[in-house]
């Protein structure tokens, strides 16, 4: 009996071995899960210092909608634009703990990010200079905001927050908050068309910073290797005068990333720690942000965004689209606001004067393979539309391997 049992066990073992062949080098690997990367201008800002903290300490319907969208899409890596910065990171703590990590109406399961990056920005930081050339330094309301290094009514307004499921190498983050605009070769110095002279005095121009918020290179260690999140929020190319200083600044803020990606020495391109030069040519990256420039519509200098999208190191993939964008764009067209861009490619609704435009971008590098993409702008008659109006912008996501 013992011998018979032993023979039966050996037969069963051999059968199992025959049915489950040993893995060999020639056998294909199971495909890795895609990496979902997103950008979202959340409009989580306040005109008052500490205002966002106070809002989040209460019960913010606005923040609940933003969290619900994130819970629906569940990106692995996401940039939040227009999220007020504070030195204690209190607003970020509150948003993560009380909103993202709590199931929201219309959202999904609680969403936890183990890693994040946030830092000071130029918005609202007084320059001590007359940047808007109105003959005064500072002042009240918009006059004060115009004389900050980046427009804002208090330091940290319209800040940025990066959230990630995967580790962020904070020690290797590069920030270009302090980079002078005039350091860029061929910088578009604004010109007063009435006089033909530079809009800014030489004293102001020599000190003016390029980035209206900041430009960050945030290395993230994903299962597929290190990905450099290149994040920014250039100034909108409006709210200026005939000199079009904001349009020029938006152009050069976008050009900064083109220069950062292009080969060659860049001795002028120095980060806030004094390290100069661009991104290594073999590095993988993704450009993220509300870049405030549509490829064909609006007031921006469109060559800036087109040349970034078409940079040789940027992956070509189908433009993210949505049903809600198409519906809203066509409704505006019936009222006479016609855009040249495809109506389903818009990422935001900017009201009856501007209509819809594509301003928000996720631009992965070559070396990734495209899996899918979209804009969280559901059918305007769907239940999901109730959480999609927390901001005038909509979340854009891309899946890559």
């Amino acid at each position: 009996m013992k011998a018979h049992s032993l023979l039966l066990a050996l037969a069963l073992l051999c059968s199992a071995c025959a049915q489950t062949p040993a893995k060999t080098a020639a056998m294909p690997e199971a495909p890795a899960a895609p990496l979902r990367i997103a950008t979202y201008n959340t409009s989580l800002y306040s005109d008052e210092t500490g205002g966002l903290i106070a809002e989040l300490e209460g019960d913010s319907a606005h923040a609940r909608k933003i969290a619900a969208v994130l819970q629906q899409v569940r990106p692995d890596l996401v940039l939040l634009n227009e999220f007020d910065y504070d030195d204690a990171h209190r607003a970020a703590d509150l948003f993560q703990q009380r909103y993202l990590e709590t199931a929201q109406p219309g959202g999904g399961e609680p969403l936890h990010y183990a890693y994040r990056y946030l830092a000071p920005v130029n918005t609202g930081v007084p320059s001590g200079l007359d940047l808007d050339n109105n003959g005064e330094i500072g002042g009240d309301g918009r006059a004060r905001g115009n004389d900050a290094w980046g427009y804002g009514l208090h330091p940290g307004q319209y800040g940025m927050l990066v959230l990630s499921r995967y580790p962020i190498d904070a020690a290797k983050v590069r920030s270009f908050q302090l980079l002078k605009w005039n350091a860029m070769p061929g910088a578009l110095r604004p010109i007063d068309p009435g006089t033909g002279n530079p809009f800014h005095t030489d004293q102001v121009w020599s000190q003016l910073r390029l980035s209206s918020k900041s430009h960050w290179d945030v290395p993230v260690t994903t299962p597929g290797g290190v990905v450099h999140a290149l994040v920014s929020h250039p100034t909108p190319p409006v709210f200026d005068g005939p000199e079009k200083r904001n349009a020029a600044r938006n152009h050069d803020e976008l050009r900064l990333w083109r220069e950062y990606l292009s080969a060659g020495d860049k001795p002028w391109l120095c980060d806030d720690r004094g390290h100069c030069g661009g991104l290594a040519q073999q590095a993988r990256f993704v450009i993220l942000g509300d870049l405030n420039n549509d490829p064909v519509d609006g007031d921006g200098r469109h060559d800036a965004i087109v040349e970034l999208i078409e940079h040789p190191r940027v992956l070509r993939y189908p433009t993210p689209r949505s049903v809600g964008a198409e519906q809203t764009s066509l409704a505006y067209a019936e009222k006479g606001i016609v855009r040249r861009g495809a109506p389903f490619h818009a990422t935001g609704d900017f009201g009856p004067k501007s209509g819809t435009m594509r301003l928000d971008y996720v631009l992965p590098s070559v070396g990734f393979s495209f899996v899918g993409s979209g804009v969280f702008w559901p059918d305007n008659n769907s239940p999901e539309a109730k959480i999609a109006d927390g901001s005038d912008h909509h979340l854009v996501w891309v899946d890559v391997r």
Side-chain angles (χ1 to χ4, degrees):
M1 290 295 291
K2 290 182 179 179
H4 177 74
S5 298
L6 180 60
L7 289 172
L8 179 60
L10 288 171
L12 290 172
L13 180 61
C14 290
S15 175
C17 291
Q19 295 176 28
T20 310
K23 187 177 183 298
T24 68
M27 295 177 67
E29 294 279 355
L35 180 70
R36 176 161 289 185
I37 309 172
T39 188
Y40 193 11
N41 182 321
T42 64
S43 298
L44 283 169
Y45 67 87
S46 172
D47 287 345
E48 304 296 329
T49 302
L52 178 59
I53 294 172
E55 177 185 343
L56 298 177
E57 286 176 335
D59 184 7
S60 171
H62 174 193
R64 290 192 181 283
K65 288 182 178 183
I66 299 299
V69 170
L70 290 164
Q71 289 173 355
Q72 281 266 3
V73 180
R74 310 189 78 79
D76 299 305
L77 172 65
V78 60
L79 166 66
L80 305 185
N81 283 132
E82 292 195 3
F83 190 100
D84 280 2
Y85 172 82
D86 63 273
D87 290 337
H89 302 178
R90 176 65 175 156
D93 286 340
L94 287 166
F95 181 66
Q96 289 189 253
Q97 296 164 9
R98 298 191 56 185
Y99 295 88
L100 279 181
E101 296 177 7
T102 300
Q104 301 297 338
E109 295 295 318
L111 185 57
H112 173 70
Y113 289 102
Y115 307 96
R116 71 185 184 195
Y117 183 80
L118 64 166
V121 291
N122 283 326
T123 38
V125 179
S127 68
L129 301 170
D130 180 13
L131 300 187
D132 61 359
N133 205 17
N134 69 348
E136 298 179 355
I137 296 175
D140 296 323
R142 185 159 195 90
R144 182 175 78 252
N146 282 339
D147 284 341
W149 288 124
Y151 178 80
L153 300 182
H154 60 84
Q157 191 177 22
Y158 313 120
M160 304 191 293
L161 173 62
V162 177
L163 300 175
S164 175
R165 288 182 54 206
Y166 303 114
I168 291 173
D169 191 344
K172 293 184 179 179
V173 170
R174 297 185 69 187
S175 169
F176 295 89
Q177 180 190 6
L178 306 180
L179 180 68
K180 300 295 191 294
W181 191 353
N182 74 85
M184 175 179 281
L188 294 181
R189 184 173 181 178
I191 300 296
D192 182 344
T195 64
N197 297 323
F199 177 79
H200 300 107
T201 66
D202 289 345
Q203 178 193 16
V204 169
W205 179 244
S206 68
Q207 300 178 66
L208 187 55
R209 298 176 185 178
L210 173 59
S211 184
S212 54
K213 283 84 177 176
S214 194
H215 284 66
W216 299 338
D217 173 349
V218 182
V220 182
T221 306
T222 75
V226 174
V227 177
H228 292 258
L230 307 183
V231 308
S232 63
H233 184 191
T235 193
V238 289
F239 311 120
D240 47 20
E243 81 292 338
K244 302 299 292 180
R245 67 186 187 278
N246 287 341
R249 191 176 189 181
N250 175 278
H251 176 283
D252 282 355
E253 288 193 72
L254 292 175
R255 185 185 155 200
L256 187 152
W257 287 137
R258 300 205 321 268
E259 296 283 353
Y260 194 63
L261 299 177
S262 299
D265 292 334
K266 300 288 192 302
W268 61 271
L269 186 51
C270 301
D271 62 32
D272 297 338
R273 296 177 180 174
H275 176 230
C276 303
L279 183 66
Q281 290 298 295
Q282 71 275 14
R284 288 189 184 180
F285 62 86
V286 58
I287 299 169
L288 296 170
D290 169 6
L291 301 185
N292 270 318
N293 200 320
D294 184 290
V296 292
D297 291 311
D299 295 304
R301 300 178 66 134
H302 306 303
D303 60 304
I305 189 63
V306 171
E307 290 176 8
L308 188 59
I309 293 171
E310 296 182 352
H311 192 283
R313 293 183 67 182
V314 171
L315 181 70
R316 303 296 193 272
Y317 75 93
T319 303
R321 59 194 295 170
S322 71
V323 173
E326 183 173 29
Q327 290 175 331
T328 304
S329 299
L330 294 178
Y332 275 124
E334 291 178 356
K335 299 177 182 178
I337 303 178
V338 179
R339 293 304 191 186
R340 290 185 295 162
F344 39 76
H345 288 163
T347 65
D349 176 357
F350 306 106
K353 291 185 178 181
S354 301
T356 60
M357 284 185 282
R358 182 190 179 196
L359 302 184
D360 306 89
Y361 297 84
V362 178
L363 302 176
S365 63
V366 295
F368 286 109
S369 59
F370 171 75
V371 178
S373 68
V375 180
F376 190 86
W377 198 341
D379 185 305
N380 292 330
N381 297 312
S382 69
E384 290 82 3
K386 294 179 180 179
I387 63 171
D389 63 352
S391 172
D392 51 359
H393 295 253
H394 293 268
L395 181 148
V396 181
W397 57 270
V398 176
D399 288 347
V400 292
R401 285 195 179 93

